[in-house]
Amino acid sequence: MREILGRRRRLLSQRSDGRPELISAALTCATEWQWPVLPGVAPDPQGRSRCACPDPECTVPGAHPFDPGLLAATTDPRMVRWWWTNRPTAPIILATGGKAPCAVSLPALAAAHTLAALDRMGMRLGPVVASPSRWAILVKPYTLEQLGELLYAKDCVPGSLRFHGEGGYLALPPAETGEGGIRWERAPLPGSASPWVPDVEPVADAAVEVLTRTGVSAPEL
């Protein structure tokens, strides 16, 4: 029955032109999974590689909060419905940390190798968000103190590795940003329960090992 309901939800979340319906996805995040979300700023319609925010050198065009700010993120279905009714093409932005998942992100190719390494270890993974250049592996919430202890124990932390923790954010599928489409590399399983995610430590360990071995250590946008 859960698979049937999940399939029905996916079918209902499609517009007549076949594009995913953002408001449906945003409501799923907020009401079913209890992930606080808010609308992101859209890419500049005059040039999708640019952002519609006031910063002419924005490094994450169309993939960040602006108005409202990150503190406005909520699980209130009324607010979510109002936002995306008025801004139907706005990207879905997850406010990471707290009770919501955090994430570890790294360049796409290295991320694919990291997932393969974790699969070989037999580690259970949750959802993975993919953009054209970077993938983000969702993990359980962690504190800055926990992250600091984890990274301090390592000889080297590649600059291309990023952590989306408390006070951070992440664009969720489906969305079109200045970089391109945001999709699920590994989608949450159908059902009403909040998607399961792993601890940050084994994910970070595998990511650091892959990035160090492959030489992808410099900061990347």
Side-chain angles (χ1 to χ4, degrees), residues 104-115 117 133-135 137 151 154 156-163 203-220:
V104 177
S105 72
L106 59 164
L109 182 58
H113 290 309
T114 299
L115 293 189
S133 65
R134 296 184 69 86
W135 293 5
I137 305 171
L151 299 182
K154 300 187 179 304
C156 176
V157 179
S160 56
L161 188 63
R162 295 179 187 167
F163 295 89
V203 173
D205 287 346
V208 168
E209 192 278 329
V210 168
L211 289 170
T212 302
R213 174 166 48 83
T214 58
V216 185
S217 59
E220 296 187 11

Side-chain angles (χ1 to χ4, degrees), residues 6-150:
R7 182 181 179 188
R8 181 179 300 169
R9 183 178 298 112
R10 290 193 298 272
L11 290 173
L12 290 175
S13 68
Q14 299 292 315
R15 292 183 179 180
S16 58
D17 61 5
R19 290 182 300 160
E21 181 62 63
L22 282 163
I23 190 170
S24 176
L27 285 169
T28 295
C29 293
T31 61
E32 295 187 16
W33 302 343
Q34 291 296 294
W35 293 0
V37 297
L38 75 162
V41 62
D44 188 336
Q46 303 301 318
R48 295 196 64 82
S49 62
R50 300 194 304 269
C51 191
C53 75
D55 183 0
E57 299 181 359
C58 179
T59 58
V60 283
H64 67 91
F66 173 62
D67 183 18
L70 186 62
L71 292 178
T74 184
T75 58
D76 184 345
R78 296 168 299 179
M79 193 72 243
V80 171
R81 190 174 287 107
W82 185 87
W83 274 333
W84 271 276
T85 297
N86 289 276
R87 298 167 60 179
T89 62
I92 301 169
I93 301 298
L94 167 69
T96 54
K99 295 183 179 180
C102 294
V104 177
S105 72
L106 59 164
L109 182 58
H113 290 309
T114 299
L115 293 189
L118 292 170
D119 287 341
R120 287 193 297 271
M121 293 166 53
M123 181 176 167
R124 180 186 176 190
L125 288 174
V128 177
V129 177
S131 73
S133 65
R134 296 184 69 86
W135 293 5
I137 305 171
L138 299 190
V139 297
K140 291 180 181 178
Y142 55 78
T143 64
L144 289 177
E145 290 77 13
Q146 291 172 323
L147 180 62
E149 292 178 1
L150 172 63

